[in-house]
Amino acid sequence: MSITTMTGELSRVLSKRDVFVLALGAMIGWGWIVQTGYFIDQSGVTGAISAFILGGFMVTVVSLIYGELASAMPFVGGEHVYSMRALGPAGSFACTWAIIFGYISVVAFEAVALPSALAYIVPGFNVFELWTVAGQPVYGTWVATGVIGSVVITYLNYRGVRPAAQFQAILALVITLAGLTLLLGALFNGTSPSSPPLAGAGIGGVFTVAIMTPFMFVGFDVIPQAAGEADVSPKLLGGLIGLSVACAAAFYIAVIWAAGQVATGATLVESSLPAATAMEIAFDSVTIGRIMALAGLAGILTSWNGFVLGASRAIYAMADSNMLPERLATIHDDHDTPSTAIVLVGGLAALAPLFGEQMLVWVVNAGGLGMVTAWLLVVVSFLVLRYRNPDFDRPFKLPAGYAVGALGLLLTVFFVGLYLPGSPSALAWPYEWAMVGGWCLLGVVLLAVAGGLPTRTEAKAHLSAQQLED
């Protein structure tokens, strides 16, 4: 088989602000609204903050590795390009298909989280019970809301990356203002509830929260996916990845501290939206609590928007190199977007609400394995390229690169192990492992339809052509 040429070209229209808010908005999604109480209840305020410092460090190491690779190869597809150059077609397929699984799991999560949030805000929202999944009812209002949300976000991305980035900037501002308001409420009205610093959980509680933090931070890798559309210098592109992670870490730590100043973990964990409950207590106002819930809606939309962008670009990159059917590499004549790939991602998201609220747990756990597997292969690619191509132009070059790479390798191997049988946090059988197996099977089928893997020679020629076109 031979590699096709690009069906079209993506335009470099994203400014440095656009790139930054796409990543930050993707990271600061819905999780902080619903999980803050759990974090504090498990390990106390001090323990939860310690966990996020530890988790932020872990993700920062991986993000800096991404930064060097993105600056050296600022092309659409991110992981696909790095792993192709370092590991060849087979390694690249495994890496990119894994990250797409992670991204689509987040998109599916948001399609279910949207009606979940509205159920908190709107009394009597759950009506027209359709069926049950794993003992949980599925309501017609949930399905309709999730499908409508999928259509809107898909259309926004279909119309162009620039409008999607502007939408992201507005919502990221809303989320930031909500977090600052909670922080101010805690500073002036906080009661500093008396509780053990680690809530009696010790170091075990800290690690319980720490293993969740990579999935609170996933989203920084949207920047490499959109690198082919960024009108930003390669060196700055690498720096923006690390900056976005640092800002997300500061936001999470501030929210945890503020929530812990106005209520105990036991109080917050009883609420379906702990951050909104903390805001309500801080200002003694149900209305302000509802406003925080609306900020949570903004978080759903920013994360949703960012991962539709990331997943569609990764799919486009694979199709452009003939690892997926060629039609998925179509670029819209007027909007300069990978339109077919965007529609595919939106269609998959629209299916998630059919499985009800239980889908939230399944997609987060199963998709998380895809994310960390891809991170592991990116770190391996980094080390291979450092060894094989030491003189490769790296505008954003890490000092002590081998040491950073070795640390990243240890961290990612550890996190992959957390999902495997025998681990206390292993994926559940049958639902979560069935999702992983089904995704692997889908990848094999689509690869066969595309004609199988390209040879190393064809892959190398394609990468060279892509670099010349940029």
Side-chain angles (χ1 to χ4, degrees):
M1 62 168 289
S2 62
I3 292 186
T4 61
T5 57
M6 295 172 69
T7 309
E9 292 186 26
L10 299 172
S11 301
R12 290 189 177 275
V13 296
L14 296 177
S15 67
K16 59 184 179 182
R17 187 203 68 175
D18 296 331
V19 171
F20 175 75
V21 297
L22 278 170
L24 183 63
M27 281 186 280
I28 304 175
W30 176 245
W32 64 279
I33 291 284
V34 297
Q35 296 288 359
T36 301
Y38 177 80
F39 296 152
I40 296 173
D41 186 58
Q42 287 293 308
S43 57
V45 175
T46 303
I49 290 175
S50 299
F52 268 81
I53 291 173
L54 177 61
F57 171 72
M58 295 176 183
V59 178
T60 297
V61 171
V62 176
S63 72
L64 289 173
I65 289 171
Y66 266 84
E68 177 173 306
L69 293 170
S71 74
M73 292 167 279
F75 311 123
V76 66
E79 293 91 345
H80 178 69
V81 178
Y82 318 147
S83 55
M84 179 78 85
R85 187 177 291 274
L87 307 177
S92 181
F93 182 88
C95 179
T96 315
W97 196 239
I99 201 65
I100 292 172
F101 181 44
Y103 286 172
I104 288 182
S105 74
V106 177
V107 173
F109 175 92
E110 306 303 356
V112 181
L114 179 60
S116 176
L118 289 176
Y120 176 87
I121 298 170
V122 181
F125 180 81
N126 295 337
V127 295
F128 306 119
E129 182 174 336
L130 301 176
W131 49 75
T132 61
V133 175
Q136 296 291 326
V138 178
Y139 296 100
T141 46
W142 277 61
V143 173
T145 301
V147 170
I148 291 171
S150 297
V151 170
V152 171
I153 296 295
T154 301
Y155 178 74
L156 180 67
N157 278 270
Y158 186 92
R159 292 284 299 177
V161 69
R162 182 67 175 160
Q166 291 171 337
F167 174 75
Q168 191 87 336
I170 293 169
L171 294 182
L173 178 62
V174 171
I175 298 168
T176 302
L177 290 175
L180 289 174
T181 302
L182 176 58
L183 183 61
L184 290 173
L187 286 171
F188 291 104
N189 302 321
T191 56
S192 299
S194 176
S195 62
L198 300 180
I203 196 67
V206 174
F207 283 126
T208 297
V209 177
I211 63 172
M212 301 178 70
T213 56
F215 317 107
M216 301 295 288
F217 286 107
V218 68
F220 70 85
D221 37 1
V222 168
I223 292 179
Q225 294 295 344
E229 296 160 275
D231 187 18
V232 177
S233 71
K235 184 175 183 178
L236 181 58
L237 189 71
L240 286 172
I241 296 175
L243 178 62
S244 66
V245 171
C247 289
F251 179 87
Y252 286 135
I253 289 170
V255 167
I256 290 169
W257 179 86
Q261 296 306 299
V262 299
T264 63
T267 299
L268 293 173
V269 80
E270 293 298 321
S271 170
S272 58
L273 296 183
T277 298
M279 183 80 93
E280 180 180 330
I281 294 172
F283 291 93
D284 193 22
S285 170
V286 174
T287 300
I288 293 180
R290 301 281 181 185
I291 291 173
M292 175 61 93
L294 291 175
L297 286 177
I300 291 173
L301 296 176
T302 58
S303 182
W304 198 342
N305 185 51
F307 283 105
V308 167
L309 185 148
S312 61
R313 271 58 179 181
I315 290 172
Y316 163 81
M318 292 188 76
D320 187 47
S321 58
N322 273 8
M323 292 183 179
L324 295 179
E326 181 182 354
R327 181 168 176 76
L328 291 171
T330 301
I331 299 295
H332 196 283
D333 291 337
D334 297 326
H335 305 313
D336 291 331
T337 56
S339 51
T340 307
I342 289 171
V343 171
L344 174 62
V345 174
L348 291 173
L351 296 175
L354 297 174
F355 297 90
E357 192 169 15
Q358 185 62 37
M359 178 62 86
L360 289 171
V361 177
W362 295 340
V363 297
V364 168
N365 291 342
L369 177 58
M371 294 171 189
V372 294
T373 299
W375 290 358
L376 169 61
L377 292 173
V378 167
V379 172
V380 172
S381 299
F382 170 84
L383 289 169
V384 168
L385 290 173
R386 271 293 184 114
Y387 176 76
R388 186 187 297 164
N389 303 106
D391 298 326
F392 197 65
D393 184 26
R394 296 171 170 87
F396 181 83
K397 187 172 183 178
L398 296 175
Y402 283 112
V404 174
L407 179 59
L409 185 63
L410 288 173
L411 293 172
T412 51
V413 167
F414 169 73
F415 274 101
V416 168
L418 293 176
Y419 294 89
L420 302 181
S423 167
S425 53
L427 295 184
W429 177 265
Y431 299 107
E432 292 168 3
W433 278 113
M435 291 179 67
V436 174
W439 186 256
C440 293
L441 179 61
L442 177 62
V444 171
V445 170
L446 291 178
L447 179 62
V449 172
L453 288 171
T455 66
R456 281 184 172 269
T457 300
E458 291 168 339
K460 185 176 180 180
H462 178 68
L463 287 175
S464 298
Q466 181 185 45
Q467 187 168 357
L468 288 174
E469 285 168 357
D470 265 331

